[in-house]
Structure formats: C-alpha cells, structure tokens
Amino acid sequence: MKKRIALLMMAAALAVSATACGSGGDTSDGGDKKGEAKTSEVANKDKPLVWFNRQPSNSSTGELDKTALNFNKDTYYVGFDANQGAELQGTMVKDYIEANIDKIDRNGDGVIGYVLAIGDIGHNDSIARTRGVRKALGTAVEKDGNINSDPIGTNTDGSAKAVKDGELEVNGKKYVVRELASQEMKNSAGSTWDAATAGNSIGTWSSSFGDQIDVVASNNDGMGMSMFNAWSKDNKVPTFGYDANSDAVAAIAEGYGGTISQHADVQAYLTLRVLRNALDGVDIDTGIGTEDEAGNVLSDDVYVYREEERSYYALNVAVTADNYQDFTDSTKIYEPVSNQLDKEKNPTKKVWLNIYNAADNFLSSTYQPLLQNYDKLLNLEVEYIGGDGQTESNITNRLGNPGQYDAFAINMVKTDNAASYTSLLNQ
Ligand code: BGC
C-alpha cells in the first residue's frame, strides 16, 4: 500500500495532466495513528472546499465559474468586496489630492499626473481597483458597458485611448488629471503583482518624466511599497496601495499616502471557519452571523454573504494618516472571533491549504500569519503549501494524496484554473 501511494505521488508529480494516473485509485483508508486527527471515510469529491483570494472566474470576462463554486454542497469562496474596496481606494486618492491641492502639482503645469501599477489584468480584484482609481479621478473610458481597465503603457501626451484626461475643480481652479503611465507588473517568469517589476518601472518612468508624476497609485501594497522605497519616498510623492500590510501602514508616517484594509483578519477566519462548520455538519452560519458556543460572531458591517455566488466577501476600510494607528499589526486576529473552540466538540481535522505564490507580499506577510493564528483556535491542523506564482502544477503536484485530508482551501495561480484542482478531487 505504501509503495502504491509513493508511486501514485510520483506519477502525480511527473504528470503533465492532472488525470495522468487514471481513475482507478481507491481512496486512502485515512488510517491515522494520532487518534484525534483521523481522516474521514468521505470521498474526496464530497469534502469541504473553500476557494480564497482568487475567485474562480473567467480571466477575460470576469464571469464567475459557477461549476467550481458549486463543486459540492460544502464549497464556498472567501474574498472581499472588490467594488466597494475599489471605490474606497479611488475616493481616498481623490480626497488626498483635493486636501493637498496647494502642493500636489509639483511642476506647476496645471496637470496632476499619476502612474498606476496594475497587478494582474485577468484578476477581478485588480481590474476593480484599476477601474476605481480611473473612475474617481475622471480618467475612465467605457468599453463594452464597463470601465476600460487595460494598461496604457505611457501616455505623457494624453493621447491614450483606454483612458482620457480628467478634470478636477478645487477652490475654483481647474486641473487636468492624467494617467501618465500604467502597466501590468508581471515578471519574465510569469509572476503577476510583482513588486520588483513595479520598483523597476518607477525607475524607468521617473527617469523620463519624473517631474510630471504627482501621485503614484498601485493595485496593492507590495508593488506600492516597492515604488515608494525606490523613488516616491525620497521625492515626496504620495503613493497609494491596497491591503494594509504592516510595512505599508507604518510607511504612512513617512509619506505613504494610504492603503485599504481588505479585512484580511475577517477573511482568514472565514476561510477556515466555513471548513470547520462543514466538517462539523453544523449550520454554515455558526460563529459567523450566529454566535457559536465559544462566543465567536461577526457583525454584518464586516462581511456579506451572497448565496447565489456561494461567496463570503469581507468589507474594506480606508487606512490613511487619520486612522493608521489602529492598523499597525496586519496579522492580529479579529477580536470578536478570537475564542478557542472546544477540542471535544470540534475535534482536530486536517486541512490542505495552498498559497499560490509564497513570495506574494500580502499573502505571505498578512494572510498566512493570520491563518496560522486561527487554525489553532479552530482546532484545524493545516498543511500550508507555498506555490511559485507561475504554474498551477507546481501546487497540484503537492496534492498527490488528497485522501489524507479532511478539507481543502485553494488559492489558484490563475482564476480560470479551478478544474486543475477539482479534477484531482474527482479521481
Ligand atoms: C491582494 C494582492 C495579492 C493578490 C493575490 C489581492 O487580493 O490585494 O496584494 O497580490 O490578492 O492574488
């Protein structure tokens, strides 16, 4: 049996296609010596599954992948409200410009120029943030009934088609707002949301039109901080990100313009909590909208659940110079859901969980540490797998024996690729 599992694992590791080892494999008997963390007899395809951070969806159209979201009756997605957050980010940038109008236009040409770092052109959250900034600053152009979120390359002369020049009137004076440049920050190996690429880009942009850049906007803090450290801090150019990672929040004291908390503390809890509830066979709302026996409960100002999308969305909060002191530790668990569950009533279960890119700033410095704080409280023994951010197979190769686990939490490289994972559970 051992040999057989080893062979199966090897086959999975070598296989180009996830289905290479055929369907005949009997599910593991799950025999576990540790007693408590015994795996179930449940078929892999019926085990609880949560997608998180990257919602199964079509990367060109954004359409949700309902098949993946309804893989079985215990399947959910946990993320955050991308549109509400994007709107907050755009408004935060606009408010900052208005409040600092006397000094924002660095070269005094009447044009407020900004550059934008785009995370992943096929990721709904990234698209929403690009749209949010363009909408608030008046630079948005419609395409197929929605705001165009395409990168523009450089646009110092205002001729780009995917954006237009905006206009802002403050204290009776009119200013032009121009997106001077934007780019998807993808490195040569294929990693998106790539901080190093953003740091290089601001170097290129600033050396050719640096004095025109009055604001730096970024789809996330990883890229935002990279640009801040490489250029904008020294040049006193306000830089705005997203995620409220601890380093970005601390940088607000040094001139970082602001960020958005996507309430990762609530998301990380929900990610594991829905699995816990499904494993316990209790109402899915337990410890979420309905207080559990330990006293854990979330109020409805921090999340929404949309049944038709099988999705939980945390709500976002703007973090600026006014309130950043409350957000200095992004890995701190959320107080209303910080109570330990009873080991007898909620016995230890095993969860397989992957982070699509071990080098992603948000996931590695904020989300995973939060998960690691909650897993103990929820009596879940979680195996954390860190991907390379480039290929799905780098991760699926490490799901060689799903029979060893009671539940799965999945963070895909690409939002189209849910089937790479579910096909392994269907075998
Ligand atoms: C975060 C990004 C992160 C991405 C990964 C987003 O929600 O804001 O920082 O890189 O998720 O998928």
Side-chain angles (χ1 to χ4, degrees), residues 109-132:
D109 64 352
V111 179
I112 297 165
Y114 72 93
V115 294
L116 175 67
I118 293 176
D120 173 350
I121 53 169
H123 188 298
N124 280 345
D125 300 346
S126 180
I127 292 169
R129 293 172 200 173
T130 297
R131 289 182 172 147

Side-chain angles (χ1 to χ4, degrees), residues 50 76-78 265-278 282-306 310-314 334 336-339 341 378:
V50 63
Y76 297 91
Y77 169 71
V78 172
D265 50 358
V266 170
Q267 284 182 70
Y269 173 73
L270 285 168
T271 303
L272 297 180
R273 184 73 211 209
V274 293
L275 296 181
R276 177 78 259 174
N277 290 346
V282 298
D283 190 316
I284 201 65
D285 199 42
T286 310
I288 299 178
T290 309
E291 188 167 328
D292 69 11
E293 286 182 22
N296 297 305
V297 68
L298 292 173
S299 49
D300 55 15
D301 57 340
V302 293
Y303 81 102
V304 286
Y305 175 60
R306 287 192 204 118
R310 304 287 293 173
S311 297
Y312 285 87
Y313 300 100
Y334 190 55
V337 290
S338 56
N339 304 309
L341 298 193
L378 298 174

Side-chain angles (χ1 to χ4, degrees), residues 53-54 80 123 125 129 193 219-221 242-243 262 356 360 362-363 411:
N53 176 261
R54 307 196 136 200
F80 63 97
H123 188 298
D125 300 346
R129 293 172 200 173
W193 304 88
N219 284 173
N220 82 356
D221 281 336
Y242 203 109
D243 292 340
Q262 53 169 289
Y356 91 99
D360 183 272
F362 168 62
L363 294 168
N411 179 213

